[in-house]
Amino acid sequence: MATNASTAAPTSMSLASVTLEVADLEAARRFYRAFGVDTHIRLRATEAHSTGFRGFTLALTVSGPATVDSFVTSAVSAGATVLKPAAKSLWGYGGVVQAPDGTIWKIATSAKKDTGPATRDIDEVVLLIGVENVKATKDFYTSQGLTVAKSFGGKYAEFTPGHSSPVKLALYKRPALAKDLGIPTDGTGSHHLVLGNTTHTFTDPDGFTWETTTHPAPTPS
C-alpha cells in the first residue's frame, strides 16, 4: 500500500490522540463511558464499511486479575462480545473483548494473583497496530519524527509516548496480533481509526491515517 506524507517530517513527533470512527456515535459514547475508557479516546461518526480484522487493538494494563475481571464485566454488561475469556497464562492474566462498534480491546495484567481489591484504575493504554513489516513501518515512523523506545528485531517496536498522550503506540506483526486476539487475520475496508499528532498529516505503509490536532489530550466522550 502506498504511503503519503503531506509535509516534511518534523524533528520530533508523538501520538497525541486516538479517534475511533463509529457508525452510532451516541451508542459508542454510552458504551465507552460504561466501560471506563472514555477519557482515553475520541469518537467520530463514519459511514465507512469494513469486514474482519481492522488491524489494531487497544490494550489496557491494570494492577491485577480482579481489575481485569472488573473491566471485562463492565464491557460485556455494556454490550461487548468476549473473544477470549479472561484466564491465566505464562505472562499473567487477561482477556479480550470486542466493543459493539467493532473495536477490539485487550485487558491484561502481569500479576497472577491479587494483592488488593479490584479498582477502576488503568496503568497504561497501548495502541497495538498490526503491520505487514515491523521494521519497514518502524523506519517510516522514525522518518516522520517518532522516537523508538523499544525494538525487538522485526517482531515488535514501541515508541516514546508524548507528555500529554494517554496512549502509547506499538507495532506488531498483523498475523501475530490477530492470533493473540483469537481472530482470523483477514480484513477489508476502513481501519475505523485516526491517529492525531500536533505536527503534520500522513498515511503509514499499512493505511493508518494520521492527522494534525491542536488538542493533544482526548476529551471525555
Side-chain angles (χ1 to χ4, degrees):
M1 188 175 296
T3 63
N4 173 66
S6 63
T7 62
T11 57
S12 179
M13 187 188 81
S14 62
L15 178 63
S17 64
V18 173
T19 299
L20 301 177
E21 296 186 322
V22 300
D24 189 330
L25 189 58
E26 291 304 316
R29 285 173 175 163
R30 290 193 297 271
F31 172 79
Y32 286 112
R33 191 176 300 117
F35 186 18
V37 300
D38 53 314
T39 59
H40 295 274
I41 58 169
R42 294 176 176 180
L43 299 172
R44 177 187 299 174
T46 185
E47 296 181 359
H49 180 68
S50 65
T51 61
F53 184 33
R54 295 179 181 175
F56 74 94
T57 188
L58 283 154
L60 309 181
T61 302
V62 298
S63 61
T67 299
V68 170
D69 291 339
S70 175
F71 275 98
V72 170
T73 298
S74 294
V76 173
S77 296
T81 301
V82 175
L83 298 181
K84 292 180 73 173
K88 289 183 180 179
S89 68
L90 292 175
W91 49 262
Y93 183 87
V96 180
V97 300
Q98 186 169 31
D101 66 88
T103 302
I104 296 175
W105 292 80
K106 181 175 181 177
I107 307 99
T109 177
S110 59
K112 295 185 179 181
K113 294 182 179 180
D114 287 306
T115 56
T119 73
R120 298 297 290 172
D121 296 332
I122 299 171
D123 296 333
E124 186 176 61
V125 182
V126 180
L127 170 62
L128 274 165
I129 295 178
V131 301
E132 181 178 346
N133 187 317
V134 171
K135 185 181 184 303
T137 301
K138 178 189 69 175
D139 291 345
F140 174 82
Y141 276 148
T142 56
S143 75
Q144 297 302 313
L146 271 71
T147 301
V148 176
K150 296 178 182 178
S151 181
F152 299 94
K155 296 182 178 180
Y156 177 84
E158 186 177 290
F159 298 92
T160 303
H163 295 298
S164 58
S165 175
V167 182
K168 180 186 293 184
L169 174 66
L171 308 177
Y172 203 29
K173 281 197 170 187
R174 181 184 173 103
L177 181 58
K179 181 178 180 181
D180 183 57
L181 299 174
I183 60 172
T185 302
D186 295 340
T188 61
S190 172
H191 291 298
H192 288 271
L193 177 74
V194 177
L195 309 180
N197 70 89
T198 57
T199 58
H200 63 299
T201 297
F202 62 92
T203 301
D204 82 358
D206 296 274
F208 289 94
T209 300
W210 288 69
E211 64 181 25
T212 54
T213 176
T214 56
H215 303 285
T219 54
S221 302

